[in-house]
Amino acid sequence: MPQYLVAIHHPDNYNSSLEDEAMARDIDVLNEEMEAAGARFFAGGLQSAPRAKSLRKQPGGEVVLTDGPYLETKEHIGGFWILDAANMDEAVAWGRKAVVACRASVEVREFHTRPTE
């Protein structure tokens, strides 16, 4: 079965301390629903983007480490699920529920699959 990333996007200035009990309950309910359906493979929340470390290979082969996210954007991934879903439509249906539970934008992307021999 294909796997999909359902990523929650937060703005740069996202303040997780503003997440209330109702939101936490909604996310717990969604996690339980995903688990009961056999869809949830993995879920995790991420620390804020400024706490990230980025590594870039330089032309000479040296790897440079910098503080902060890899891309300079106005939004960053705040958490995600990896789901087993029959198709994109099913993954998007979970994504719609994630938008409501997390009160945030969501991106749904299918993982590459390797051809079987």
Side-chain angles (χ1 to χ4, degrees):
M1 182 174 293
Q3 289 186 319
Y4 295 84
L5 172 71
V6 177
I8 307 303
H9 292 265
H10 290 154
D12 251 356
N13 61 350
Y14 185 75
N15 182 352
S16 63
S17 69
L18 300 177
E19 295 174 3
D20 60 10
E21 288 182 34
M23 182 176 168
R25 256 191 326 274
D26 290 347
I27 293 170
D28 287 343
V29 167
L30 179 57
N31 277 316
E32 290 167 7
E33 185 180 353
M34 288 175 172
E35 183 103 11
R40 193 177 91 175
F41 178 78
F42 180 84
L46 299 172
Q47 293 289 337
S48 63
R51 297 181 72 175
K53 301 289 183 191
S54 296
L55 296 97
R56 288 185 174 91
K57 182 180 173 194
Q58 301 299 300
E62 179 186 358
V63 176
V64 174
L65 172 70
T66 56
D67 291 331
Y70 179 72
L71 298 175
E72 293 184 24
T73 65
K74 294 181 181 183
E75 292 184 327
H76 301 280
I77 295 176
F80 62 93
W81 288 272
I82 298 174
L83 303 179
D84 292 317
N87 53 44
M88 179 60 87
D89 290 340
E90 185 179 314
V92 167
W94 288 116
R96 287 180 189 279
K97 293 180 180 195
V99 166
V100 173
C102 297
R103 293 132 173 98
S105 299
V106 167
E107 178 181 354
V108 178
R109 294 176 73 178
E110 185 174 1
F111 280 88
H112 284 286
T113 56
R114 293 181 182 231
T116 56
E117 295 181 60

